[in-house]
Structure formats: C-alpha cells, structure tokens
Amino acid sequence: MTSATPAAPPAAAPRSDRYAWLVLGILCFVYVLNFLDRQLLSILAKPIQDDLGITDGQLGRLGGLYFALFYCILGVPVAWLADRGNRTRVLTIACALWSAATIACGLSANYGQLAAARMSVGIGEAGGVPPSYSIISDYFPPHRRGRALALFNLGPPLGQALGVAFGAKIAAAYDWRLAFILLGAAGLIAAVGVWAFVREPRRGATDTQPVAADMAGEAVSFWMTVKTFFATPTLLLVALAAGATQFVTYATLGFTTLFLMREKAMTLDQVAIWYALVLAIGVSSGIYLSGRLIDRYAARRPQVYGTIPAYALLLAVPFFIGFVAAPGWPLAMTFLIVPTFLNYFYLTPAVTLVQNSVAPRQRTLAGAVLLLIMNLIGLGLGPTWLGAASDWFRASHPDHSLQYAFYTLVPFYLIAAALHLAVARTVKRAHGVQS
C-alpha cells in the first residue's frame, strides 16, 4: 500500500476516452438500481407497516442491521476475489442476485420472509460498489478520478429520488409489492447490460506512478491489504468519519418518508413529488460539487479531504433541527433541502482519498474495507438506532415518537465533523512530512 497522500496530477491531461465515459454511465446506472432497491423499503415503509403490521424497531432492523451484516461482511471477501479476477463478471453476478432478491421482497407474505429477502439483497449488493470503484479508477487517471467517482456516486441520490418518485407512485396507484417486482426485473436486465458492454480494464492502466508489485503482476495479499488499511491512520480515520456521517444519513433516509407521512401529514403522492425533488437536487449537487472541489484543491491543500465535509456537516445542523421541528411538511421540506445538500460532502472525498492512496491491485479490496467500516457503523446502526429510539419514545410521546428520535441524531453530526477534522490534520501532516 502506498502513501496516504494522493498523487499530484500530471502536467497535461490525456485525451478523453469516450468508452471510459460509456462505462461510467453504465456503472452509474447499475448503482442507481443498487441504491433504489436498497432504499425502496424505507420509501414504502408506511404501506408495508400497514400490510405486515411491523414496528418502527423492526423496520429499522430490516433496513439497517439485517441488511448491513451481509452487505458489509461479504463485501470484503468478494472484493478480494475481484482484485484477483474479473471485476466485471463479479459485478454482473452481484447485480443479478440482488435484483432477484428484490423481487422476492415483493413476494414476501410476512416479516420473516421479508427479513430473509432483505438479507439476500445485502448478499448481492456486497459485490456491487467495490468492483465499480476499481474499474472506474482504471479508466480515469488520478487528476480526473475525483470527478469520475463523484459522477458515479450520483447513483445513490438518483436511486433515492427515482425510488421515491416511481416507488411511491406505483404503491399509491397499485400495490407496494409491484414496486419491488418491477424494479427487480429492471435490475436483471441491467446485469445483462454489464456482461455485454463493460470490458475488464488493465489494472493500473491510468496511473502515472505504478507500484512495483503491480508492475510485476503480483497478487497482493488479502490480509496484507486489510492489515495495512487499519494500520494507516489516514485511511482508518476517513473510514470512521464516513461511518459517523452515514449514521446520520442512513438513519434519516430510513425514516424520513414515514416521518413526513405520520407526523407532518404528507400523502404518498406528495412524497413522490416533493421529497423526490429534494433528494434528486440536494444529494446529487452535494456529491458532485464536493468532487469538483477535491479535484481543484486537493493537490495543493490535501487537508480539504477532511475540512470540506467537516464544515458542511456543522453548517447543516441548524437546518436539520428546523426540519425536525417544523409544524408542517412544506416548511419541513424547505429546511430539509440544506442538510440534504451538505450531508453528502463526505462521500466523494472519502472514496477518492482511499482510491488514490493504494496500489491498483488493492483498490477493490481497500474500497470494500472502507465500505465495511462506514456501512457497519452507518447503514447497520443508523436506522437500527432511530427505529429503536422511536419505539422507546412511543410510550411517552405516542404522536411524535419519530420527531424525538430524530433529535437524537444531532450529537452524531458533531462526532462526524470532529472525525473529519482529524482526517484533515492527519492528511496535512502526512503531506508535510513527504514534501
């Protein structure tokens, strides 16, 4: 594993490769479906609760702990296999598996069957993102990688927005089960598209300073990569900071639709329009802008990998409180735009820092370790925490249990910002030592 300080860009940029952008577009589309399938449970929480009779705590575990255990833990060995084999093939199989499991969600007749289907979605999605990170990094050089990964990371907000728009519309017009079945079928078609159109790139093809082990074609040890990741302060800190941020973002995503409908008197049709717009504009703008800022400033001021997300999170706090406290959904939506934009300034810096800091043959596995840490913390614990908190507050505040549960997320904003500032100090120190 190389230094944690990203490489400076070359003097001249290579000519744009149209096929690289085609590959990026296909991978982004798959990521849209990946996140759409993942978030459909939270989008359709109200009709699912009404049909199956599950509590907020059970809903939180379905979307959080049960899903994350398989998604995060299996992601590491799958990524190791992808680093040693064909990443495109791994992605194709993974996409087909999670799409079939999404169809199974729509066919579930009780809580146990739905839990098993969600776990299966997690197993499939474990092979989705890390291979894509690595493939993109071998199609785009370091000085353009931040922008490329930022565009790829538009998958989550687009998936969230499309899920809210189409998932809610289908559920309102027909049935929540049909939404799962149709989206799963679309994922099976996408898996065929990956197999047919995405070529496996040569590892390290776009790196300006190849690592000796990779030039020799040596396979990097699984445990060596994992051990070095945890022993590198910058990489471990950025994973913990991203995890603390995702604790807030996944908890919020997991229950916002239910919160708006139950406590802000919003209908499913209104959610399909207004909340979809907030997600599409806010999250995608935050992810893309942070990537452009990283490409522009990181070579001269590497501490921006930490300071950009830290300041964004601190600025988001008062608007998040305004969203939770607003008396009705129109004002709540107005407040929600700002944290939806700022909460996602962490993702592209974290992914870019890790991808730029490791050898080409370690990128898939290093990306998987990053996802393991941040998703176990954020995806595994965030929705689980918020659902349990809502159940706990229900005894004393039956009409506003989710509102009080949302307030408990404010301290996690501050923890995440503090960790990102620690990342900034560590990256700056590493850069200063090597300058």
Side-chain angles (χ1 to χ4, degrees):
M1 190 171 291
T2 60
S3 165
T5 303
R15 188 173 61 183
S16 174
D17 184 347
R18 291 183 180 179
Y19 180 72
W21 291 105
L22 173 64
V23 169
L24 179 62
I26 294 172
L27 296 183
C28 186
F29 178 71
V30 172
Y31 199 12
V32 168
L33 293 177
N34 175 302
F35 218 85
L36 203 161
D37 291 349
R38 188 187 311 178
Q39 292 301 311
L40 200 58
L41 180 73
S42 63
I43 295 164
L44 303 178
K46 187 66 166 59
I48 292 173
Q49 279 191 328
D50 293 342
D51 189 7
L52 301 182
I54 61 179
T55 68
D56 289 352
Q58 289 175 317
L59 185 68
R61 291 191 293 274
L62 277 176
L65 188 61
Y66 296 160
F67 177 91
L69 284 176
F70 289 90
Y71 174 69
C72 298
I73 294 173
L74 289 178
V76 175
V78 169
W80 178 70
L81 291 173
D83 268 336
R84 299 170 66 89
N86 189 296
R87 293 162 289 182
T88 301
R89 189 174 303 149
V90 170
L91 180 60
T92 300
I93 295 171
C95 183
L97 179 56
W98 85 60
S99 300
T102 299
I103 294 174
C105 290
L107 300 176
S108 300
N110 54 54
Y111 180 75
Q113 292 178 7
L114 184 57
R118 292 300 297 171
M119 292 176 188
S120 299
V121 173
I123 293 172
E125 291 193 10
V129 180
S132 298
Y133 284 158
S134 181
I135 291 169
I136 292 168
S137 295
D138 283 338
Y139 273 110
F140 292 88
H143 69 287
R144 293 164 57 207
R145 204 167 284 157
R147 182 184 179 191
L149 289 170
L151 289 170
F152 174 71
N153 282 326
L154 294 180
L158 291 175
Q160 294 162 25
L162 290 174
V164 171
F166 293 106
K169 281 291 186 184
I170 292 171
Y174 300 99
D175 180 70
W176 66 268
R177 298 177 185 278
L178 183 61
F180 280 98
I181 294 170
L182 290 178
L183 293 172
L188 293 175
I189 296 172
V192 175
V194 173
W195 176 79
F197 296 110
V198 178
R199 297 195 300 265
E200 176 74 4
R202 180 175 62 84
R203 297 181 192 273
T206 60
D207 288 287
T208 56
Q209 298 176 337
V211 177
D214 288 87
M215 292 174 66
E218 299 176 9
V220 181
S221 164
F222 173 91
W223 290 113
M224 179 188 298
T225 302
V226 174
K227 180 180 178 181
T228 308
F229 190 104
F230 281 93
T232 305
T234 301
L235 300 183
L236 181 58
L237 270 174
V238 77
L240 292 174
T245 308
Q246 283 199 340
F247 189 99
V248 174
T249 59
Y250 273 118
T252 303
L253 282 174
F255 285 91
T256 292
T257 299
L258 186 61
F259 178 56
L260 291 170
M261 295 180 66
R262 183 194 293 172
E263 301 193 20
K264 305 295 183 185
M266 203 172 187
T267 67
L268 201 55
D269 283 330
Q270 290 169 334
V271 166
I273 298 172
W274 300 108
Y275 185 40
L277 285 174
V278 168
L279 287 174
I281 297 171
V283 181
S284 58
S285 298
I287 289 176
Y288 183 73
L289 178 59
S290 63
R292 295 303 300 269
L293 292 174
I294 289 298
D295 276 349
R296 182 170 182 178
Y297 295 110
R300 299 192 305 272
R301 303 183 63 188
Q303 64 268 30
V304 298
Y305 283 99
T307 54
I308 287 175
Y311 297 153
L313 289 170
L314 292 174
L315 184 59
V317 170
F319 294 93
F320 177 79
I321 295 173
F323 156 68
V324 178
W329 73 261
L331 184 58
M333 285 286 92
T334 303
F335 277 114
L336 184 59
I337 292 172
V338 178
T340 300
F341 171 65
L342 296 173
N343 283 358
Y344 289 86
F345 271 54
Y346 79 96
L347 185 57
T348 300
V351 172
T352 306
L353 177 59
V354 171
Q355 292 294 300
N356 284 352
S357 299
V358 301
R361 286 184 179 269
Q362 295 174 303
R363 283 186 178 135
T364 307
L365 181 54
V369 175
L370 171 67
L371 291 174
L372 168 67
I373 297 171
M374 69 184 192
N375 283 326
L376 274 178
I377 297 171
L379 178 58
L381 300 180
T384 305
W385 166 278
L386 197 63
S390 179
D391 282 353
W392 190 81
F393 282 117
R394 184 173 294 277
S396 57
H397 302 85
D399 295 329
H400 300 286
S401 61
L402 268 176
Q403 181 181 46
Y404 283 89
F406 267 103
Y407 284 130
T408 67
L409 296 180
V410 172
F412 293 98
Y413 266 103
L414 304 180
I415 293 171
L419 286 170
H420 280 293
L421 291 175
V423 171
R425 290 192 296 271
T426 304
V427 173
K428 184 177 181 180
R429 185 164 56 245
H431 181 79
V433 170
Q434 297 176 13
S435 294

